Amino acid sequence: MSENNSTRGDMPVDEFRQLGHQMIDWIADYLKNIEQYPVLSQIKPGDVKNKLPQQPPETGDGLKNIFDDINNIIMPGITHWNHPGFMAYFNSTASGPGILAEFLSAAFNANGMLWRTCPSSTELEQLTLGWLRQMLILPDDYWGIIYDTASVSTLHAIAAAREYAGEKFALRKKGMIGNSAPRFRLYCSEQAHSSVDKGALTLGIGIDGIRKIAVDEKFRLIPGELKNAIDEDKANGWLPFCVVATIGTTSTTSIDPLDEIAKICNAENIWLHVDAAYGGTAAIVPEMRCILNGIEHADSIVVNPHKWMFTPVDLSAFFTRKPDVLKRAFSLVAEYLKTTEQNKVESYMDYGVQLGRRFRSLKLWFIIRYFGVDGIIERLRFHLKLTQDFAAWIKAHQYFKQMAPAPLSVICFRAVLKNKTEDEIDKLNEMLMNNVNSTGKIFLSHTKLHDRFVIRLAISGINTKEKHVELAKTLLDEKLNELKNNG
Amino acid sequence: MSENNSTRGDMPVDEFRQLGHQMIDWIADYLKNIEQYPVLSQIKPGDVKNKLPQQPPETGDGLKNIFDDINNIIMPGITHWNHPGFMAYFNSTASGPGILAEFLSAAFNANGMLWRTCPSSTELEQLTLGWLRQMLILPDDYWGIIYDTASVSTLHAIAAAREYAGEKFALRKKGMIGNSAPRFRLYCSEQAHSSVDKGALTLGIGIDGIRKIAVDEKFRLIPGELKNAIDEDKANGWLPFCVVATIGTTSTTSIDPLDEIAKICNAENIWLHVDAAYGGTAAIVPEMRCILNGIEHADSIVVNPHKWMFTPVDLSAFFTRKPDVLKRAFSLVAEYLKTTEQNKVESYMDYGVQLGRRFRSLKLWFIIRYFGVDGIIERLRFHLKLTQDFAAWIKAHQYFKQMAPAPLSVICFRAVLKNKTEDEIDKLNEMLMNNVNSTGKIFLSHTKLHDRFVIRLAISGINTKEKHVELAKTLLDEKLNELKNNG
């Protein structure tokens, strides 16, 4: 038991300093040796929880014992997102400057709900989002705010769209109860992220209020189908109020034709939200900026630096050209939150569900400053190149077949063996993926395309190098051979 | 410029280690000397933003230059939430073990959306929430999840209530569009937090769907008024679906009579959510547990360890006895998120808007282990005592008058001078508060009670001691004297 526990107050600063230095070394060693750990945790359900006391301790304990538990119990249950062999989902890695900034942010413990509760939090958020806006070449009239996750950013986008279309129904006052709400309808492609559905459900749009639009052979929303759906719905008494286009879908990273979609939305005065949570980051690379063509005609966009810009979770950047609508949907200023300067400053609490706000801009500022825009571009370009190299390997492979275009840093593929049914091939690829994951060297995930099991390999880890992609190839070959020989 | 910026990959581990040790010393010095900084930032709007480059840097920079900017530009714009003179709002402080745990969490950068994406995150969340549940003596059937903020917890509570009442209207499928939704109505006291309104607005309930119930002379919801409102609304075609009771309102920390409210809700089968974001923590102290009497008849409760339990923002603990309803409202499992073990484990993404989830339980676990339950109780009890001491001082004071009961750790008071109108007294107290805040020694905030300006003083900082409360008294006396003599 630590001595200071018998006195009031916090951990003594000297103890904090000593433990802090120990922790720095622990973390530095962890990051240095991260490849010695299995990237995907290999434990069984319950292995962590059942090894720890089910009752809280009455008396305090020292950090040494806590760290013993971390080493022995917590570590085996960690899936290491910063491991260069993490190639599942959209693998998201935290860079050194980002980790250090998070530490500093925790020490400040500032809550930037109002300007005065931490002016630096509000103003650094304005500044760094201005930087990110310039890096993405978004028009000047895009105003920015940091939320926690893309799901929350998209929820806010749809809420703003609802407010925009609902104003003439006095939606804020009357709500959507009884028969006061129009028959709102939202559109996105069949390949859009589940957060679009979840946001719509939360906002009371319902499953019936979401219309999924068919995609082309490259898994991109078909603008003509969108136009037809809107026309048909209007004829049937629906109120089309929001379209979500995706730049980098989760399954295949397909890129919806933003420019054409924007034309339809503008003609109909429908809010266009762009989900570029993962893919948007690629637009920082000059030769990739074209993926955002048409953004000048959209209403809002989400880009997550915590996905592919080396920022520790969580940090989701949301930009909109209609911040007044967003504010109208969410602003509620209680007396205890009023300040003398409130008409001269921006208080981010007015633009969202959350009142409490962590000092998140600090880590984005550290990262952009430390790497520089050129350094970030160089790293993204390298990931794009590694992806094309892997795609070339798939193309030349005897058994693997690429199942979708790979415009960004994710490749979808599966092994195709002759004399096997499609169902058998599904099963084979699922086993192949699981067997690769069981090695603890590489972590892959999957999706389904045309209802068939497809392996996804994502390359966006800051420390992922050629050798890790080579290891992925080797393991895929090795495990496929084993399955072929055994099956 | 740091050398490694010309190569790919992250900051080299050796550089991370070196900078990390420097940062530990910087943070330890900061925490040691925090009282040398003005608790409330004294800068003018724009002072931070205008001193930094408006364009992002093309090339990378070293942490030394970044830290020069922190010292010279960022620090003056920080309002120091960990300063022991922070007595505004619900002052929230981050303890040493909590800060260290946040650092570790950033290094892991785990996203606990699914069990497999970080088993330790899911299982430690289950474990620590089990501990907190026991500390609060909540019944066993309360199931827990960590969200970011109380606003989000309450949003989820109201969403679950809407799903519970809306199931027979097929709400999830049909939504609240057209004439499909009943006339939902939600109840809370006039003193409830603005997050209740914000949650209801987000969910499409609308201002008209929120009915504020009158409070008694102690600012507590009057159960008889609630009963009457529900009866009247039912007679008029409304569907009462949710009541929010508050344990520790933001203005005065008044405590709604939970037991009586629960009886009304149970009789009517209305979801009862308890907003104990701030006050709930006090229930850990045995002699204060009575504030949660009746919780066994409620449906959900939010308690924020990031308010009064020394946990860095953000960490809001939400408990419900009907997790199946919450899951029904939010679960949507996309193919790319399916796993072989999904029927054997809990994946927290199924219970909320957010898919991405930081490893937040780590800091709660560190804090409970380091201080122990007894250590936490001792600190809370000390805050309760300091508050009563300050209340006694107010009571004995010639000019100050306590304006509401102080059952927890916040006191509402104002100076009352004879021969002044109520409006003049409002103005005087506002000036008094601003003048105290301008010293940079103590930071107070305000509210309005019966439409009159009232100063709030909150004591819940982990390093707030007798001497800081004494300093608040001295400054209040000193600044009041100045105003009296000048006015």
Side-chain angles (χ1 to χ4, degrees), chain A residues 4 9 17 21 46 61 69 74 77 79 82 107 116 120 123 134 148 173 176 204 208 335 354 369-370 374 446, chain B residues 4 21 29 46 54 58 61 69 74 77 79 82 107 116 120 123 148 173 176 204 208 335 354 369-370 379 446:
Chain A
N4 70 298
R17 192 186 302 266
H21 284 299
D61 202 348
D69 283 350
I74 302 294
T79 291
N82 286 335
R116 75 157 48 189
S120 285
E123 298 197 9
Q134 294 170 64
D148 52 332
K173 181 176 183 301
M176 301 165 70
D208 287 352
E335 179 59 38
Q354 289 124 331
R369 284 199 62 169
Y370 180 81
D374 288 347
H446 81 286
Chain B
N4 70 297
H21 284 299
D29 290 344
Q54 304 302 304
E58 285 190 21
D61 201 348
D69 283 349
I74 302 293
T79 292
N82 286 336
R116 76 157 48 189
S120 284
E123 298 198 9
D148 52 332
K173 180 175 184 302
M176 301 165 70
D208 288 352
E335 178 60 37
Q354 289 124 331
R369 284 198 64 168
Y370 180 81
R379 285 163 178 82
H446 80 285

Short mmCIF file of all heavy atoms in Angstrom, two decimals, chain A residues 4 9 17 21 46 61 69 74 77 79 82 107 116 120 123 134 148 173 176 204 208 335 354 369-370 374 446, chain B residues 4 21 29 46 54 58 61 69 74 77 79 82 107 116 120 123 148 173 176 204 208 335 354 369-370 379 446:
data_model
loop_
_atom_site.label_atom_id
_atom_site.label_comp_id
_atom_site.label_asym_id
_atom_site.label_seq_id
_atom_site.Cartn_x
_atom_site.Cartn_y
_atom_site.Cartn_z
N ASN A 4 0.89 7.39 1.01
CA ASN A 4 0.08 8.60 0.98
C ASN A 4 -1.41 8.31 1.07
O ASN A 4 -2.21 9.21 1.20
CB ASN A 4 0.32 9.34 -0.32
CG ASN A 4 -0.27 8.57 -1.48
OD1 ASN A 4 0.15 7.45 -1.74
ND2 ASN A 4 -1.26 9.12 -2.13
N GLY A 9 -5.86 14.09 -0.43
CA GLY A 9 -5.21 14.69 -1.59
C GLY A 9 -4.78 13.64 -2.60
O GLY A 9 -5.03 12.44 -2.45
N ARG A 17 6.10 11.66 -10.30
CA ARG A 17 7.28 11.83 -11.16
C ARG A 17 8.03 10.51 -11.31
O ARG A 17 8.36 10.07 -12.41
CB ARG A 17 8.20 12.90 -10.55
CG ARG A 17 9.32 13.38 -11.47
CD ARG A 17 10.28 14.32 -10.74
NE ARG A 17 9.64 15.49 -10.17
CZ ARG A 17 9.56 16.68 -10.78
NH1 ARG A 17 10.07 16.83 -11.99
NH2 ARG A 17 8.98 17.70 -10.18
N HIS A 21 8.24 8.28 -14.76
CA HIS A 21 9.47 7.87 -15.47
C HIS A 21 9.47 6.37 -15.71
O HIS A 21 9.87 5.89 -16.77
CB HIS A 21 10.71 8.30 -14.68
CG HIS A 21 11.00 9.78 -14.79
ND1 HIS A 21 11.28 10.39 -15.99
CD2 HIS A 21 11.02 10.76 -13.86
CE1 HIS A 21 11.48 11.68 -15.80
NE2 HIS A 21 11.33 11.95 -14.52
N GLY A 46 -13.39 -14.34 -20.90
CA GLY A 46 -13.37 -14.49 -19.44
C GLY A 46 -11.99 -14.54 -18.84
O GLY A 46 -11.83 -14.42 -17.63
N ASP A 61 -3.50 0.54 -3.16
CA ASP A 61 -2.41 -0.34 -3.53
C ASP A 61 -1.38 0.48 -4.30
O ASP A 61 -1.68 1.55 -4.82
CB ASP A 61 -2.96 -1.47 -4.41
CG ASP A 61 -2.06 -2.68 -4.40
OD1 ASP A 61 -0.91 -2.58 -3.92
OD2 ASP A 61 -2.52 -3.73 -4.88
N ASP A 69 -0.21 -6.89 -12.51
CA ASP A 69 -1.45 -7.37 -13.14
C ASP A 69 -1.52 -7.00 -14.61
O ASP A 69 -2.05 -7.75 -15.43
CB ASP A 69 -2.67 -6.81 -12.40
CG ASP A 69 -2.93 -7.55 -11.08
OD1 ASP A 69 -2.28 -8.59 -10.85
OD2 ASP A 69 -3.78 -7.08 -10.30
N ILE A 74 -3.58 -8.25 -18.02
CA ILE A 74 -4.13 -7.33 -19.02
C ILE A 74 -3.44 -7.52 -20.38
O ILE A 74 -4.10 -7.59 -21.42
CB ILE A 74 -3.98 -5.86 -18.57
CG1 ILE A 74 -4.69 -5.62 -17.22
CG2 ILE A 74 -4.51 -4.90 -19.64
CD1 ILE A 74 -6.18 -5.75 -17.24
N GLY A 77 -4.60 -9.94 -22.96
CA GLY A 77 -5.93 -9.61 -23.49
C GLY A 77 -5.96 -8.37 -24.36
O GLY A 77 -7.02 -7.88 -24.71
N THR A 79 -5.40 -6.58 -27.86
CA THR A 79 -5.15 -6.67 -29.30
C THR A 79 -4.41 -5.40 -29.66
O THR A 79 -4.88 -4.30 -29.37
CB THR A 79 -6.49 -6.79 -30.06
OG1 THR A 79 -7.06 -8.07 -29.75
CG2 THR A 79 -6.29 -6.66 -31.56
N ASN A 82 -1.36 -0.84 -32.38
CA ASN A 82 -0.15 -0.18 -32.89
C ASN A 82 0.86 -1.16 -33.48
O ASN A 82 1.93 -0.78 -33.92
CB ASN A 82 0.52 0.62 -31.76
CG ASN A 82 -0.25 1.88 -31.43
OD1 ASN A 82 -0.98 2.41 -32.26
ND2 ASN A 82 -0.10 2.37 -30.20
N ALA A 107 -3.22 15.55 -18.27
CA ALA A 107 -2.70 16.32 -17.13
C ALA A 107 -3.43 17.66 -17.01
O ALA A 107 -3.74 18.11 -15.91
CB ALA A 107 -1.20 16.55 -17.29
N ARG A 116 -14.37 30.06 -21.99
CA ARG A 116 -13.64 30.42 -20.78
C ARG A 116 -13.16 29.20 -19.98
O ARG A 116 -12.21 29.31 -19.22
CB ARG A 116 -14.46 31.35 -19.88
CG ARG A 116 -15.57 30.70 -19.10
CD ARG A 116 -15.95 31.52 -17.85
NE ARG A 116 -16.14 32.94 -18.16
CZ ARG A 116 -16.30 33.88 -17.22
NH1 ARG A 116 -16.29 33.56 -15.93
NH2 ARG A 116 -16.49 35.13 -17.55
N SER A 120 -7.64 27.92 -24.63
CA SER A 120 -6.68 27.26 -25.54
C SER A 120 -7.32 26.05 -26.22
O SER A 120 -6.98 25.74 -27.36
CB SER A 120 -5.42 26.83 -24.78
OG SER A 120 -4.60 27.94 -24.51
N GLU A 123 -9.60 27.56 -29.01
CA GLU A 123 -8.86 28.25 -30.08
C GLU A 123 -7.90 27.32 -30.82
O GLU A 123 -7.68 27.47 -32.02
CB GLU A 123 -8.15 29.49 -29.52
CG GLU A 123 -9.17 30.48 -28.96
CD GLU A 123 -8.64 31.90 -28.76
OE1 GLU A 123 -7.49 32.19 -29.22
OE2 GLU A 123 -9.36 32.71 -28.18
N GLN A 134 -7.32 23.17 -44.78
CA GLN A 134 -6.41 23.55 -45.86
C GLN A 134 -5.71 22.33 -46.45
O GLN A 134 -5.52 22.23 -47.66
CB GLN A 134 -5.36 24.54 -45.34
CG GLN A 134 -5.96 25.89 -44.93
CD GLN A 134 -4.93 26.76 -44.19
OE1 GLN A 134 -3.92 27.15 -44.74
NE2 GLN A 134 -5.21 27.05 -42.93
N ASP A 148 -16.04 12.92 -31.01
CA ASP A 148 -15.26 11.75 -30.61
C ASP A 148 -15.09 10.73 -31.73
O ASP A 148 -13.99 10.27 -32.00
CB ASP A 148 -15.83 11.10 -29.34
CG ASP A 148 -17.31 10.80 -29.45
OD1 ASP A 148 -18.02 11.50 -30.20
OD2 ASP A 148 -17.79 9.86 -28.78
N LYS A 173 -39.46 22.58 -31.96
CA LYS A 173 -40.51 22.77 -30.96
C LYS A 173 -41.45 21.55 -30.89
O LYS A 173 -41.68 20.99 -29.84
CB LYS A 173 -41.31 24.02 -31.29
CG LYS A 173 -42.41 24.32 -30.28
CD LYS A 173 -43.13 25.62 -30.59
CE LYS A 173 -44.17 25.93 -29.52
NZ LYS A 173 -45.18 24.88 -29.36
N MET A 176 -41.02 15.09 -33.43
CA MET A 176 -41.54 14.20 -34.46
C MET A 176 -42.65 13.34 -33.88
O MET A 176 -42.93 12.25 -34.36
CB MET A 176 -40.40 13.31 -34.98
CG MET A 176 -39.26 14.13 -35.56
SD MET A 176 -37.76 13.17 -35.77
CE MET A 176 -38.23 12.08 -37.11
N GLY A 204 -34.81 9.00 -34.82
CA GLY A 204 -36.23 8.73 -35.01
C GLY A 204 -36.65 8.58 -36.46
O GLY A 204 -37.83 8.63 -36.78
N ASP A 208 -37.50 2.26 -41.93
CA ASP A 208 -38.27 2.59 -43.13
C ASP A 208 -37.88 3.94 -43.74
O ASP A 208 -38.13 4.19 -44.92
CB ASP A 208 -39.77 2.63 -42.82
CG ASP A 208 -40.34 1.23 -42.60
OD1 ASP A 208 -39.60 0.25 -42.84
OD2 ASP A 208 -41.51 1.13 -42.18
N GLU A 335 -28.60 28.70 -17.60
CA GLU A 335 -28.11 29.88 -16.89
C GLU A 335 -26.69 29.67 -16.36
O GLU A 335 -25.85 30.54 -16.48
CB GLU A 335 -29.06 30.23 -15.73
CG GLU A 335 -28.63 31.43 -14.91
CD GLU A 335 -28.51 32.73 -15.73
OE1 GLU A 335 -29.35 32.95 -16.63
OE2 GLU A 335 -27.58 33.50 -15.47
N GLN A 354 -22.88 16.58 -26.82
CA GLN A 354 -22.00 16.55 -25.65
C GLN A 354 -21.70 17.92 -25.08
O GLN A 354 -21.38 18.84 -25.82
CB GLN A 354 -20.68 15.85 -26.02
CG GLN A 354 -20.86 14.35 -26.23
CD GLN A 354 -20.39 13.87 -27.58
OE1 GLN A 354 -20.41 14.62 -28.55
NE2 GLN A 354 -19.97 12.61 -27.66
N ARG A 369 2.43 19.25 -36.51
CA ARG A 369 3.69 19.98 -36.34
C ARG A 369 4.90 19.06 -36.40
O ARG A 369 5.92 19.38 -37.00
CB ARG A 369 3.69 20.72 -35.00
CG ARG A 369 2.83 21.96 -35.04
CD ARG A 369 3.16 22.93 -33.95
NE ARG A 369 4.52 23.44 -34.04
CZ ARG A 369 4.98 24.46 -33.31
NH1 ARG A 369 4.17 25.06 -32.47
NH2 ARG A 369 6.22 24.86 -33.43
N TYR A 370 4.78 17.91 -35.74
CA TYR A 370 5.95 17.03 -35.66
C TYR A 370 6.31 16.42 -37.03
O TYR A 370 7.47 16.41 -37.43
CB TYR A 370 5.72 15.92 -34.64
CG TYR A 370 6.89 14.98 -34.52
CD1 TYR A 370 8.00 15.30 -33.74
CD2 TYR A 370 6.92 13.77 -35.21
CE1 TYR A 370 9.10 14.46 -33.65
CE2 TYR A 370 8.00 12.92 -35.13
CZ TYR A 370 9.09 13.27 -34.34
OH TYR A 370 10.18 12.43 -34.27
N ASP A 374 4.23 17.57 -45.31
CA ASP A 374 5.00 16.72 -46.23
C ASP A 374 5.27 15.34 -45.64
O ASP A 374 5.23 14.33 -46.34
CB ASP A 374 6.33 17.39 -46.59
CG ASP A 374 6.14 18.57 -47.52
OD1 ASP A 374 5.02 18.71 -48.07
OD2 ASP A 374 7.08 19.35 -47.69
N HIS A 446 -12.63 -9.50 -42.41
CA HIS A 446 -13.32 -9.94 -43.62
C HIS A 446 -14.52 -9.04 -43.91
O HIS A 446 -14.89 -8.18 -43.12
CB HIS A 446 -13.80 -11.38 -43.45
CG HIS A 446 -15.08 -11.49 -42.66
ND1 HIS A 446 -15.12 -11.30 -41.29
CD2 HIS A 446 -16.37 -11.69 -43.06
CE1 HIS A 446 -16.38 -11.43 -40.87
NE2 HIS A 446 -17.15 -11.66 -41.91
N ASN B 4 14.25 12.30 -37.89
CA ASN B 4 13.50 11.15 -38.38
C ASN B 4 12.40 11.53 -39.36
O ASN B 4 11.79 10.69 -39.98
CB ASN B 4 12.86 10.41 -37.23
CG ASN B 4 11.73 11.24 -36.66
OD1 ASN B 4 11.95 12.32 -36.16
ND2 ASN B 4 10.52 10.74 -36.80
N HIS B 21 10.47 11.29 -21.01
CA HIS B 21 11.03 11.65 -19.70
C HIS B 21 10.99 13.15 -19.48
O HIS B 21 10.66 13.61 -18.38
CB HIS B 21 12.47 11.12 -19.59
CG HIS B 21 12.54 9.64 -19.35
ND1 HIS B 21 12.00 9.05 -18.23
CD2 HIS B 21 13.07 8.63 -20.09
CE1 HIS B 21 12.21 7.73 -18.29
NE2 HIS B 21 12.84 7.45 -19.41
N ASP B 29 6.27 19.06 -12.74
CA ASP B 29 6.49 20.45 -12.31
C ASP B 29 5.20 21.25 -12.40
O ASP B 29 4.89 22.06 -11.53
CB ASP B 29 7.57 21.12 -13.18
CG ASP B 29 8.96 20.53 -12.91
OD1 ASP B 29 9.14 19.86 -11.87
OD2 ASP B 29 9.85 20.74 -13.75
N GLY B 46 -9.07 35.28 -28.88
CA GLY B 46 -8.16 35.39 -30.01
C GLY B 46 -6.69 35.35 -29.65
O GLY B 46 -5.84 35.19 -30.52
N GLN B 54 -1.39 30.44 -39.14
CA GLN B 54 -2.70 30.06 -39.64
C GLN B 54 -2.62 28.97 -40.72
O GLN B 54 -3.63 28.39 -41.08
CB GLN B 54 -3.44 31.28 -40.20
CG GLN B 54 -3.57 32.44 -39.19
CD GLN B 54 -4.30 32.04 -37.91
OE1 GLN B 54 -5.43 31.57 -37.95
NE2 GLN B 54 -3.65 32.19 -36.75
N GLU B 58 4.75 22.88 -43.56
CA GLU B 58 5.05 21.88 -44.59
C GLU B 58 6.00 20.82 -44.07
O GLU B 58 5.82 19.64 -44.32
CB GLU B 58 5.64 22.56 -45.82
CG GLU B 58 4.59 23.29 -46.62
CD GLU B 58 5.10 23.77 -47.96
OE1 GLU B 58 6.11 23.23 -48.46
OE2 GLU B 58 4.48 24.70 -48.51
N ASP B 61 8.68 19.48 -37.24
CA ASP B 61 9.37 20.31 -36.26
C ASP B 61 9.66 19.44 -35.03
O ASP B 61 9.03 18.41 -34.82
CB ASP B 61 8.46 21.48 -35.89
CG ASP B 61 9.25 22.64 -35.29
OD1 ASP B 61 10.45 22.46 -34.97
OD2 ASP B 61 8.67 23.73 -35.16
N ASP B 69 6.02 26.91 -27.66
CA ASP B 69 4.69 27.47 -27.91
C ASP B 69 3.71 27.12 -26.79
O ASP B 69 2.84 27.92 -26.44
CB ASP B 69 4.14 26.98 -29.25
CG ASP B 69 4.78 27.69 -30.44
OD1 ASP B 69 5.48 28.69 -30.21
OD2 ASP B 69 4.56 27.25 -31.58
N ILE B 74 0.08 28.56 -25.30
CA ILE B 74 -1.01 27.70 -24.86
C ILE B 74 -1.28 27.87 -23.36
O ILE B 74 -2.44 28.00 -22.94
CB ILE B 74 -0.70 26.21 -25.16
CG1 ILE B 74 -0.45 26.00 -26.66
CG2 ILE B 74 -1.83 25.31 -24.66
CD1 ILE B 74 -1.64 26.20 -27.56
N GLY B 77 -3.64 30.42 -21.97
CA GLY B 77 -5.03 30.18 -22.36
C GLY B 77 -5.64 28.95 -21.71
O GLY B 77 -6.73 28.53 -22.09
N THR B 79 -7.45 27.20 -18.64
CA THR B 79 -8.14 27.31 -17.36
C THR B 79 -7.83 25.99 -16.64
O THR B 79 -8.09 24.91 -17.18
CB THR B 79 -9.64 27.51 -17.56
OG1 THR B 79 -9.83 28.82 -18.13
CG2 THR B 79 -10.40 27.40 -16.25
N ASN B 82 -7.34 21.32 -12.72
CA ASN B 82 -6.72 20.61 -11.59
C ASN B 82 -6.23 21.54 -10.49
O ASN B 82 -5.66 21.09 -9.49
CB ASN B 82 -5.55 19.75 -12.09
CG ASN B 82 -6.03 18.51 -12.82
OD1 ASN B 82 -7.14 18.05 -12.60
ND2 ASN B 82 -5.20 17.99 -13.71
N ALA B 107 -1.15 4.79 -25.35
CA ALA B 107 -0.09 3.97 -25.95
C ALA B 107 -0.67 2.67 -26.53
O ALA B 107 -0.27 2.23 -27.60
CB ALA B 107 0.99 3.65 -24.92
N ARG B 116 -13.10 -8.98 -29.49
CA ARG B 116 -11.79 -9.40 -30.00
C ARG B 116 -10.86 -8.24 -30.32
O ARG B 116 -9.65 -8.42 -30.35
CB ARG B 116 -11.95 -10.30 -31.23
CG ARG B 116 -12.30 -9.60 -32.52
CD ARG B 116 -11.89 -10.43 -33.75
NE ARG B 116 -12.31 -11.82 -33.66
CZ ARG B 116 -11.93 -12.77 -34.52
NH1 ARG B 116 -11.13 -12.48 -35.53
NH2 ARG B 116 -12.36 -14.00 -34.40
N SER B 120 -9.24 -7.17 -23.24
CA SER B 120 -9.01 -6.55 -21.93
C SER B 120 -9.85 -5.29 -21.75
O SER B 120 -10.25 -4.97 -20.63
CB SER B 120 -7.52 -6.20 -21.76
OG SER B 120 -6.78 -7.37 -21.49
N GLU B 123 -13.44 -6.60 -20.95
CA GLU B 123 -13.54 -7.31 -19.67
C GLU B 123 -13.18 -6.43 -18.48
O GLU B 123 -13.76 -6.57 -17.40
CB GLU B 123 -12.71 -8.60 -19.71
CG GLU B 123 -13.24 -9.54 -20.79
CD GLU B 123 -12.79 -10.99 -20.63
OE1 GLU B 123 -12.20 -11.34 -19.59
OE2 GLU B 123 -13.05 -11.78 -21.57
N ASP B 148 -18.90 8.42 -22.97
CA ASP B 148 -17.96 9.54 -22.80
C ASP B 148 -18.47 10.57 -21.79
O ASP B 148 -17.73 10.98 -20.90
CB ASP B 148 -17.63 10.19 -24.15
CG ASP B 148 -18.84 10.59 -24.96
OD1 ASP B 148 -19.91 9.96 -24.80
OD2 ASP B 148 -18.75 11.55 -25.74
N LYS B 173 -38.59 0.14 -36.64
CA LYS B 173 -38.82 -0.01 -38.07
C LYS B 173 -39.44 1.26 -38.67
O LYS B 173 -38.95 1.81 -39.64
CB LYS B 173 -39.73 -1.21 -38.32
CG LYS B 173 -40.01 -1.44 -39.79
CD LYS B 173 -40.83 -2.70 -40.02
CE LYS B 173 -41.02 -2.98 -41.52
NZ LYS B 173 -41.67 -1.89 -42.24
N MET B 176 -40.28 7.72 -36.28
CA MET B 176 -41.26 8.67 -35.75
C MET B 176 -41.74 9.58 -36.88
O MET B 176 -42.22 10.68 -36.65
CB MET B 176 -40.63 9.50 -34.63
CG MET B 176 -40.13 8.62 -33.48
SD MET B 176 -39.01 9.51 -32.40
CE MET B 176 -40.14 10.67 -31.62
N GLY B 204 -35.86 13.49 -31.28
CA GLY B 204 -37.09 13.85 -31.99
C GLY B 204 -38.28 14.05 -31.08
O GLY B 204 -39.43 14.08 -31.55
N ASP B 208 -41.94 20.51 -27.15
CA ASP B 208 -43.31 20.25 -26.67
C ASP B 208 -43.44 18.90 -25.97
O ASP B 208 -44.37 18.69 -25.19
CB ASP B 208 -44.30 20.29 -27.83
CG ASP B 208 -44.54 21.72 -28.34
OD1 ASP B 208 -44.04 22.67 -27.68
OD2 ASP B 208 -45.21 21.88 -29.37
N GLU B 335 -21.61 -6.88 -41.57
CA GLU B 335 -20.86 -8.10 -41.86
C GLU B 335 -19.40 -7.99 -41.42
O GLU B 335 -18.85 -8.90 -40.80
CB GLU B 335 -20.92 -8.42 -43.36
CG GLU B 335 -20.14 -9.66 -43.76
CD GLU B 335 -20.63 -10.93 -43.08
OE1 GLU B 335 -21.85 -11.10 -42.87
OE2 GLU B 335 -19.77 -11.78 -42.73
N GLN B 354 -21.98 5.08 -30.54
CA GLN B 354 -20.58 5.05 -30.93
C GLN B 354 -20.08 3.64 -31.24
O GLN B 354 -20.33 2.71 -30.47
CB GLN B 354 -19.72 5.67 -29.82
CG GLN B 354 -19.90 7.18 -29.73
CD GLN B 354 -20.32 7.67 -28.36
OE1 GLN B 354 -20.98 6.94 -27.62
NE2 GLN B 354 -19.96 8.89 -28.02
N ARG B 369 -8.01 1.12 -7.53
CA ARG B 369 -6.95 0.32 -6.91
C ARG B 369 -5.98 1.17 -6.12
O ARG B 369 -5.54 0.80 -5.03
CB ARG B 369 -6.17 -0.45 -7.99
CG ARG B 369 -6.95 -1.64 -8.50
CD ARG B 369 -6.07 -2.63 -9.20
NE ARG B 369 -5.07 -3.21 -8.30
CZ ARG B 369 -4.33 -4.26 -8.62
NH1 ARG B 369 -4.48 -4.84 -9.79
NH2 ARG B 369 -3.43 -4.74 -7.77
N TYR B 370 -5.60 2.31 -6.66
CA TYR B 370 -4.58 3.12 -6.00
C TYR B 370 -5.09 3.73 -4.70
O TYR B 370 -4.42 3.70 -3.68
CB TYR B 370 -4.08 4.23 -6.94
CG TYR B 370 -3.02 5.10 -6.31
CD1 TYR B 370 -1.69 4.69 -6.26
CD2 TYR B 370 -3.36 6.32 -5.72
CE1 TYR B 370 -0.72 5.47 -5.65
CE2 TYR B 370 -2.39 7.11 -5.11
CZ TYR B 370 -1.08 6.68 -5.07
OH TYR B 370 -0.12 7.45 -4.46
N ARG B 379 -11.77 10.94 0.99
CA ARG B 379 -11.65 12.21 0.24
C ARG B 379 -13.02 12.85 0.01
O ARG B 379 -13.18 14.07 0.12
CB ARG B 379 -10.93 11.95 -1.09
CG ARG B 379 -9.43 11.75 -0.88
CD ARG B 379 -8.73 11.10 -2.06
NE ARG B 379 -7.29 10.99 -1.81
CZ ARG B 379 -6.73 10.03 -1.09
NH1 ARG B 379 -7.47 9.07 -0.54
NH2 ARG B 379 -5.42 10.01 -0.88
N HIS B 446 -21.84 30.83 -11.42
CA HIS B 446 -23.11 31.33 -10.88
C HIS B 446 -24.29 30.51 -11.38
O HIS B 446 -24.15 29.64 -12.25
CB HIS B 446 -23.30 32.79 -11.28
CG HIS B 446 -23.82 32.94 -12.69
ND1 HIS B 446 -23.03 32.76 -13.79
CD2 HIS B 446 -25.06 33.23 -13.16
CE1 HIS B 446 -23.75 32.93 -14.89
NE2 HIS B 446 -24.98 33.21 -14.54
#
